[in-house]
Amino acid sequence: MTILTAVIALLILAIIFGALLGYAAIRFKPEGNPLVESIDNLLPQTQCGQCGYPGCRPYADAIAGGDAINKCPPGGMATVEALADLLDLPVLELDAEDPDAEQNRIAVIREDECIGCTKCIQACPVDAILGAAKLMHTVIEKECTGCDLCLEPCPVDCIDMVSQSVTITNWRWQSPEAPKIIATDRAETTHEPR
Amino acid sequence: MSLMQRSSPHVMGRNTTSRIMLWVIVAALPGLLALSYFYGWGYLINTVICVVSAVLAEAAILMLRKRPVLKTLKDASAVLTGVLLGVTLPPFAPWWIMVIASGFAMVFVKHLYGGLGQNLFNPAMAAFALVLISFPLPMTTSWSTPEAISGEPLPSFSQQLSHNLEWQAYDGITMATPLDHYKTKIKRLTADELAQTPEYVAGPFYGILWVNLAFLLGGLLLLFLKIISWHGPVGLFTGLLVLALPFSADADSAMPVLMHLFAGATVFGAFFIVTDPASSATSNRGKFIFGFGVGILTYCIRTWGNFPDAIAFAVLLMNISAPFIDHYTRPRTYGKPKPVSGYKLPEESP
Amino acid sequence: MSRVDRIWPLPGGIHPPEHKSESNGRPIARLPAPHKVVLPLHQNSGLPAEPLVAIGEQVQRGQLIAKGHHPVSALVHATISGRVTAIEDRPFAHPSGLSVPSIVIESLSDQEAALSPEAVSMAPMRDWATETKERLVSRIQEAGITGLGGAGFPSHIKYLGQRQIHTLIVNGVECEPYITADDRLMREHATDIVTGTQIALKILSASTAFIAIEDNKPEAISAIKAALVAVTDTRIKVKVVPTKYPSGGEKQLVYLLTGREVPSGDIPASLGIVMQNTGTLYAIKEAVVSGTPMTERVVTITGEGTPNPGNYWVTIGTPIQDALAATQVAVTGNRPRVIMGGPMMGYDVDITAPVSKVTNCLLVPSATEFPTAPDPDPCIRCGLCEQACPANLLPQKLFWNAVHHEWEQARLNSLSDCIECGACSWVCPSNIPLVQHYRFAKAEIKREAIETIKADQSRLRFEQRQARLERDAAEKDAKRKARAAEAAKAQAAKAQDTPSTLDASAKDAILASVARAKAKKAASTGPVTQEALENTVVLAQQAVDKTRVKLATAVSDGLPSVEALTGALQKLEKRLADAQSALQSHTETGDAP
């Protein structure tokens, strides 16, 4: 008789908790955000192609399909960590030739040398270059993402990548230095901001 | 010309971590002395063993983690954990229980979670729970009895020392705690009958009442120094009372309220365990809820559970829920009509 | 009446050592006018003011020399008489140590420099009570007055708000240690401050004014009270608040005096309250009653590194090193270390930078007074910081959020409500630089917001570009298909041998192309040259290739023109063979060009 009681008691408990879980699954269901959308939101939208894909969205698709998360130099370690956090993957080192290369640069055309060939206009993934055939080309500073794709097509090599300087309006406080107690502290993943 | 970017403020107050730890140790001393008075040298010897083991264990794990040893040991947190363990572990328990408990507390509960301030669980309570479950016999029968109750003299210093170090057993009056006794006996006897049993010949509170009052004194000192806030302890007492008052109406089948409050490790837990800042909730309201939860769980485990003293398990269970409590007990900050609770920001208008 | 007198208790707060007696014992002295001033053109809005003078021009003290076009900007006046010697980047008193465009004026002699009272000033409004509000506000703007309490916001903006104001709070609290400028100003110019208060009340049409003073300034309290008795203005009341840091913060003081909290993200005007510093009201009084623009202010020069600590009237634009040297502080190279502001919220400055309108204190500490902070210890989560926070935040949580870069969590924990007062850092037993962590976190959140907007914009442009390219490709494709369908239709119609079914235009087109082909053929049967024959071969080959392609398309698309095209192809291939053999025979007969 006691066994029957125990079995019934457990059954009732199971039903109650199962109902609770089911209710929670429906009531607290996370919004149906497609994974690719979330991944794309973490990418910097430079559309530079350094990851090997023609744009950030294709790379987001690839990551959703299982590709490595450390291929985006403009995103830097911040993006790698954010992706690792989102997808519950380990944080990897940035897979780039020069991981410390300066990001945040914009293209500037030396207008004296520009011949109006429109090759850079066609190369720019965000249409940030203004101009037409045989007319002056110029980079719209605010729209340039610093992807470097316009440098190669230019036949007269008249485009420079210029880093954005710190002025009184965009100066920010730096994070206080963490005390570097041991060697591994210095290589910690708590990264410095770009 | 670039300046060293030092942010304000440029002056700091005089408080230091080691000062806080030392005051907590000082506040625990009256309790320790009261325990020694009533229950013998065991507590003092155990405290010494625990402190030494804790410091050595911490030194060892620091060397393994390649961190500066002396600098970290100077903050006295290992000593504090040792003292807390020495006060809670049974006085007649063998030395290796102390060593295991201290080592576990330092290495696993504190350092493997990240070190000072990073422990998820209370180190002393987690170690107590480990030792209680792993070695139930020594842990439940190594408790001492005051002379007034047992009629036998307490062991001398050397006798106690040699017993604890297992050189020579002391055939003494080791038995379970008064709380344990009361709990098991009240199931079968009425309150009056219980008062006749030999263990309670001097009253059920003999000894432990003074010990708890000594800890209360220490706790009040900490409150006065503003090292702890009142929310945690008051929460614990409230939680206990909420259940103890109704259920203790029938004196013949439940422990009296005062027993709950002043026997066992209640007062000690309220002022020294629940207030461990790293493992408890952050905001004041959170601390109260944390203490309240500990109180409720303590009553439940004491009355309907298997273990005599439940503070350790109750605290560990509430430690798990501390982050959750934090998310829902943020204080109402200046300028906001109500506190921000939950895990997601409320939808803001662009 | 009792509700008006009530003071609400400030949550949290600390009591650092005050260090006021070093500098509040002597009356405000006047530093001699400097020979050189540097006047930065940087404004709160971020857009610099534009100079109205050129290099080499002579200017008079009080003359307007720069003006910003943004609505939130203050006018810049020359503060000494002399010649404009440069308009270029100069060090600026800012934690970054960066330089901003500035106007440098130098005078040749003491007389020239000290031409005072203001050589250029506006008309005094002695009877200001009869002036209109608009005139009074524009007078404040013309005088270039900015808030002297700390942030340096152009003052006239506060009077141009749309919301109805009922209470003016005069901030004479000065809760930060070391600073005594407002204290001495209240003691010595209480009447002027009261007049300034009345002017402000008139502009705002407010019904009440509270002059808030901390209880550690008994002389200032009695001076202000005496001045109030003299004017018998029942609208103005003195409220004494308990000494605690940071009671003088704008939001904290509003709560202390009225029990109401400024809603998060909003300004006191939303509660019908405007707050002004005592020094600002003094400057307003001077501007309105005497017509003087803002050219000097009271600065507390103190700290163990100063032999003559005290308060001084300092000309705005004086390089800090010159101001210090005038009080016998030893200045060599970039020493001593100077903090602009107090120990809790001040920042290290370059001593070649000029004194600005917001400089309320120049602190020269000795090495023992402000020792280098030791390396921070780990946070033990003691919670003392929460007990000290005047805004009821959880600094401990914000610290962990900042260290782990959890910006979302930081926003959940109301990081934006932190006033950066430093009370939490002061109490921290582990010496953690909490305020710097929060400043960094706020900066990162802002930067991320900017980058998100930019990234969204880039993504939009990229997607639009992709769409455009696809659209172009699709159009091309559609055109090609349409052409192929048309051609096939034409061929099919022709193959059915019903010319009458053909359009007249189609017929013409066919005739025209036939004529073209004949003409080409005639042209190609000109002088028989190697070149001409080669051309013929090439043309024939092209025709064959084209037709082959057409045929292939027709076969794959299953068009009815397959038969017709096959016939055409055979004809063209025969023509190609003829042309090739003609060329070959021509070549062999050795008729080289």
Side-chain angles (χ1 to χ4, degrees):
Chain A
M1 199 56 207
T2 38
I3 296 181
L4 192 63
T5 324
V7 167
I8 293 177
L10 278 175
L11 203 63
I12 294 176
L13 272 175
I15 292 173
I16 294 175
F17 281 116
L20 264 173
L21 281 173
Y23 174 71
I26 298 172
R27 170 81 171 78
F28 298 115
K29 194 183 170 78
E31 262 121 40
N33 227 350
L35 186 63
V36 174
E37 194 76 34
S38 320
I39 295 175
D40 193 35
N41 277 333
L42 295 174
L43 296 176
Q45 303 307 318
T46 331
Q47 321 291 354
C48 60
Q50 289 183 56
C51 54
Y53 297 91
C56 297
R57 190 64 191 231
Y59 183 41
D61 283 325
I63 292 177
D67 201 351
I69 59 173
N70 60 348
K71 291 188 178 171
C72 178
M77 282 310 290
T79 306
V80 176
E81 286 177 16
L83 286 169
D85 201 29
L86 177 73
L87 302 167
D88 212 10
L89 293 170
V91 173
L92 303 166
E93 277 242 342
L94 200 58
D95 177 21
E97 287 149 17
D98 187 8
D100 294 322
E102 205 198 324
Q103 306 298 338
N104 261 346
R105 304 187 303 173
I106 53 171
V108 178
I109 294 176
R110 292 197 296 276
E111 297 181 357
D112 293 337
E113 300 168 34
C114 173
I115 59 169
C117 68
T118 74
K119 291 226 172 86
C120 61
I121 297 181
Q122 290 163 38
C124 177
V126 292
D127 283 342
I129 304 185
L130 203 57
K134 302 240 175 64
L135 295 175
M136 181 55 64
H137 300 344
T138 191
V139 175
I140 305 173
E141 216 178 279
K142 272 204 325 177
E143 305 294 351
C144 175
T145 61
C147 70
D148 294 355
L149 286 174
C150 54
L151 294 179
E152 280 215 11
C154 179
V156 295
D157 200 16
C158 69
I159 308 186
D160 293 321
M161 296 304 292
V162 171
S163 45
Q164 300 190 294
S165 55
V166 179
T167 62
I168 202 104
T169 38
N170 64 9
W171 176 86
R172 308 255 174 256
W173 282 99
Q174 298 297 307
S175 176
E177 291 241 321
K180 305 280 195 279
I181 305 180
I182 54 176
T184 45
D185 269 356
R186 282 171 234 134
E188 225 172 41
T189 48
T190 314
H191 62 278
E192 297 304 325
R194 286 185 278 127
Chain B
M1 177 185 127
S2 73
L3 297 165
M4 228 190 323
Q5 273 176 6
R6 256 178 303 203
S7 161
S8 60
H10 302 281
V11 282
M12 304 282 209
R14 299 265 172 259
N15 224 350
T16 58
T17 313
S18 46
R19 187 177 292 203
I20 291 182
M21 300 289 172
L22 287 171
W23 272 116
V24 179
I25 295 172
V26 163
L29 286 180
L32 179 61
L33 291 173
L35 280 169
S36 309
Y37 178 77
F38 286 103
Y39 296 96
W41 291 103
Y43 281 104
L44 274 174
I45 294 174
N46 283 348
T47 306
V48 170
I49 301 177
C50 282
V51 167
V52 169
S53 326
V55 170
L56 288 177
E58 179 152 65
I61 190 74
L62 282 171
M63 284 196 277
L64 206 61
R65 288 180 78 197
K66 298 194 180 61
R67 305 221 168 232
V69 177
L70 271 180
K71 180 172 186 282
T72 317
L73 283 178
K74 257 205 284 198
D75 62 23
S77 55
V79 177
L80 176 60
T81 310
V83 168
L84 294 179
L85 273 173
V87 161
T88 43
L89 291 170
F92 279 87
W95 60 274
W96 42 268
I97 289 207
M98 314 295 145
V99 172
I100 290 174
S102 310
F104 179 77
M106 282 293 112
V107 172
F108 286 84
V109 189
K110 183 174 157 192
H111 277 277
L112 287 187
Y113 274 88
L116 186 61
Q118 310 270 39
N119 42 296
L120 187 59
F121 295 100
N122 190 302
M125 292 296 104
F128 184 89
L130 170 85
V131 171
L132 179 62
I133 294 178
S134 313
F135 310 109
L137 196 59
M139 285 298 291
T140 49
T141 58
S142 306
W143 298 96
S144 170
T145 326
E147 208 170 310
I149 293 179
S150 65
E152 302 268 340
L154 291 167
S156 72
F157 178 77
S158 46
Q159 283 172 320
Q160 182 80 61
L161 187 67
S162 53
H163 172 91
N164 280 16
L165 293 177
E166 295 199 305
W167 296 333
Q168 175 122 34
Y170 182 81
D171 286 329
I173 329 296
T174 57
M175 43 174 73
T177 60
L179 198 62
D180 193 14
H181 263 296
Y182 207 105
K183 172 191 156 149
T184 43
K185 293 276 167 55
I186 198 73
K187 291 194 175 112
R188 295 181 284 121
L189 309 171
T190 64
D192 294 321
E193 287 166 355
L194 218 146
Q196 308 299 327
T197 52
E199 295 92 352
Y200 296 107
V201 69
F205 288 109
Y206 184 80
I208 47 169
L209 181 67
W210 285 109
V211 167
N212 275 295
L213 285 177
F215 278 123
L216 181 66
L217 189 71
L220 291 174
L221 173 70
L222 291 178
L223 275 175
F224 174 73
L225 289 171
K226 294 208 176 61
I227 290 178
I228 61 174
S229 70
W230 56 265
H231 304 85
V234 167
L236 192 149
F237 288 127
T238 315
L240 263 183
L241 284 173
V242 156
L243 282 183
L245 277 173
F247 280 101
S248 313
D250 181 7
D252 286 333
S253 58
M255 283 193 282
V257 174
L258 280 180
M259 190 82 175
H260 273 292
L261 287 183
F262 286 108
T266 315
V267 175
F268 170 74
F271 290 100
F272 293 88
I273 301 296
V274 161
T275 52
D276 171 41
S279 50
S280 142
T282 312
S283 61
N284 284 341
R285 236 175 348 137
K287 286 181 181 145
F288 182 87
I289 293 177
F290 182 86
F292 188 83
V294 173
I296 298 268
L297 285 170
T298 303
Y299 186 87
C300 293
I301 299 175
R302 271 185 190 165
T303 316
W304 300 296
N306 251 339
F307 292 94
D309 201 350
I311 294 276
F313 297 107
V315 166
L316 290 177
L317 284 170
M318 288 311 291
N319 283 150
I320 299 173
S321 49
F324 178 79
I325 293 175
D326 275 341
H327 272 283
Y328 286 93
T329 55
R330 291 196 189 87
R332 186 196 68 81
T333 56
Y334 181 104
K336 293 221 163 80
K338 55 189 178 94
V340 179
S341 73
Y343 292 82
K344 279 183 94 72
L345 277 168
E347 279 310 311
E348 323 163 60
S349 45
Chain C
M1 204 58 190
S2 63
R3 195 174 193 279
V4 169
D5 288 332
R6 187 176 156 188
I7 308 280
W8 279 257
L10 182 73
I14 53 173
H15 295 100
E18 290 177 16
H19 288 285
K20 304 260 187 187
S21 52
E22 287 94 322
S23 54
N24 66 1
R26 284 179 293 178
I28 309 174
R30 181 167 288 277
L31 287 187
H35 281 241
K36 173 172 92 162
V37 292
V38 178
L39 297 162
L41 297 170
H42 176 71
Q43 301 275 346
N44 293 74
S45 59
L47 300 166
E50 290 182 14
L52 300 168
V53 295
I55 298 181
E57 212 172 303
Q58 281 288 124
V59 292
Q60 306 272 49
R61 175 175 165 139
Q63 179 179 337
L64 179 67
I65 57 171
K67 189 173 164 149
H69 290 299
H70 193 272
V72 179
S73 54
L75 300 180
V76 182
H77 297 84
T79 55
I80 59 170
S81 301
R83 211 166 45 88
V84 176
T85 55
I87 302 180
E88 61 190 16
D89 281 356
R90 286 294 173 105
F92 182 54
H94 191 262
S96 64
L98 293 169
S99 302
V100 297
S102 314
I103 298 180
V104 183
I105 305 175
E106 288 183 53
S107 65
L108 299 171
S109 65
D110 281 336
Q111 281 126 318
E112 197 188 6
L115 258 153
S116 71
E118 320 298 313
V120 176
S121 59
M122 302 158 281
M125 292 182 189
R126 301 223 187 276
D127 212 6
W128 54 265
T130 56
E131 296 283 352
T132 61
K133 292 182 208 177
E134 290 75 20
R135 281 216 59 195
L136 290 170
V137 174
S138 58
R139 172 55 62 94
I140 296 176
Q141 183 176 13
E142 284 159 29
I145 297 178
T146 59
L148 299 185
F153 199 68
S155 300
H156 64 275
I157 304 285
K158 283 195 181 175
Y159 297 102
L160 289 175
Q162 298 300 318
R163 293 183 264 211
Q164 180 57 41
I165 305 294
H166 52 70
T167 305
L168 169 71
I169 297 182
V170 180
N171 192 342
V173 173
E174 205 166 48
C175 54
E176 193 154 357
Y178 286 92
I179 309 181
T180 52
D182 289 342
D183 184 8
R184 291 285 349 169
L185 192 70
M186 284 192 283
R187 289 195 219 184
E188 295 172 33
H189 296 275
T191 327
D192 296 329
I193 293 172
V194 169
T195 313
T197 312
Q198 291 176 314
I199 297 173
L201 277 172
K202 176 176 166 59
I203 303 175
L204 296 168
S205 307
S207 53
T208 325
F210 293 130
I211 304 184
I213 310 176
E214 258 186 350
D215 61 14
N216 59 3
K217 302 178 186 45
E219 300 93 342
I221 295 170
S222 30
I224 296 277
K225 280 191 171 158
L228 282 176
V229 164
V231 300
T232 57
D233 194 334
T234 51
R235 298 174 301 172
I236 309 177
K237 295 171 181 53
V238 172
K239 276 193 144 179
V240 179
V241 298
T243 301
K244 199 197 250 192
Y245 177 84
S247 335
E250 185 180 66
K251 292 186 175 179
Q252 278 59 46
L253 191 58
V254 167
Y255 175 72
L256 269 172
L257 298 181
T258 64
R260 302 178 62 195
E261 294 183 1
V262 178
S264 175
D266 211 340
I267 56 172
S270 62
L271 297 175
I273 298 174
V274 160
M275 191 177 293
Q276 293 272 254
N277 178 270
T278 45
T280 315
L281 287 174
Y282 177 83
I284 288 178
K285 178 256 168 192
E286 285 290 292
V288 167
V289 171
S290 320
T292 43
M294 202 168 153
T295 54
E296 59 181 15
R297 65 157 295 154
V298 180
V299 177
T300 309
I301 298 183
T302 181
E304 279 175 16
T306 56
N308 298 311
N311 289 287
Y312 299 89
W313 284 104
V314 179
T315 309
I316 290 168
T318 312
I320 292 176
Q321 59 191 8
D322 295 346
L324 292 176
T327 62
Q328 274 84 52
V329 175
V331 175
T332 47
N334 62 350
R335 290 257 140 257
R337 175 186 180 199
V338 175
I339 292 175
M340 179 181 296
M344 301 302 295
M345 293 189 75
Y347 45 88
D348 288 86
V349 284
D350 182 342
I351 59 172
T352 58
V355 166
S356 67
K357 291 177 182 174
V358 300
T359 307
N360 53 1
C361 178
L362 290 172
L363 193 45
V364 186
S366 64
T368 48
E369 204 173 2
F370 290 178
T372 325
D375 264 347
D377 287 329
C379 166
I380 60 170
R381 304 187 192 240
C382 62
L384 290 174
C385 50
E386 292 144 37
Q387 313 299 332
C389 180
N392 277 329
L393 297 169
L394 291 175
Q396 187 204 118
K397 282 263 178 261
L398 290 173
F399 166 69
W400 288 117
N401 292 151
V403 165
H404 295 132
H405 297 247
E406 294 161 355
W407 310 134
E408 188 77 12
Q409 287 297 312
R411 290 167 63 210
L412 267 173
N413 287 319
S414 309
L415 174 64
S416 52
D417 289 330
C418 168
I419 61 172
E420 297 175 20
C421 67
C424 51
S425 304
W426 198 83
V427 297
C428 180
S430 302
N431 288 315
I432 301 175
L434 290 168
V435 176
Q436 190 166 351
H437 279 287
Y438 306 147
R439 286 180 167 151
F440 167 68
K442 286 183 186 177
E444 286 296 297
I445 290 176
K446 195 167 178 178
R447 188 180 60 82
E448 267 196 10
I450 294 174
E451 284 191 0
T452 309
I453 294 175
K454 183 148 193 268
D456 285 341
Q457 178 80 342
S458 297
R459 185 188 302 125
L460 190 65
R461 288 182 79 93
F462 181 69
E463 283 167 4
Q464 284 176 340
R465 178 174 184 264
Q466 296 294 85
R468 174 171 59 86
L469 293 175
E470 272 169 34
R471 211 174 44 237
D472 287 348
E475 272 177 19
K476 247 188 234 169
D477 204 37
K479 269 197 198 138
R480 191 176 54 76
K481 282 221 175 87
R483 261 185 285 132
E486 274 247 354
K489 208 163 54 161
Q491 286 286 3
K494 197 169 170 208
Q496 281 171 20
D497 225 8
T498 45
S500 58
T501 61
L502 286 171
D503 270 345
S505 58
K507 246 194 195 159
D508 287 341
I510 293 171
L511 284 172
S513 64
V514 166
R516 262 205 311 274
K518 275 200 181 140
K520 223 192 237 172
K521 199 159 175 211
S524 67
T525 52
V528 179
T529 59
Q530 180 83 352
E531 208 181 336
L533 286 172
E534 280 172 359
N535 274 344
T536 318
V537 169
V538 167
L539 283 171
Q541 181 70 52
Q542 276 180 350
V544 165
D545 291 337
K546 262 196 215 160
T547 316
R548 277 211 186 112
V549 168
K550 274 195 204 154
L551 177 62
T553 319
V555 166
S556 62
D557 288 345
L559 295 172
S561 52
V562 171
E563 211 182 19
L565 281 171
T566 321
L569 183 63
Q570 283 170 348
K571 275 195 206 144
L572 286 169
E573 279 174 345
K574 183 167 177 305
R575 193 143 59 90
L576 176 63
D578 289 339
Q580 279 170 336
S581 56
L583 177 63
Q584 205 166 6
S585 54
H586 191 269
T587 322
E588 277 165 6
T589 54
D591 224 14

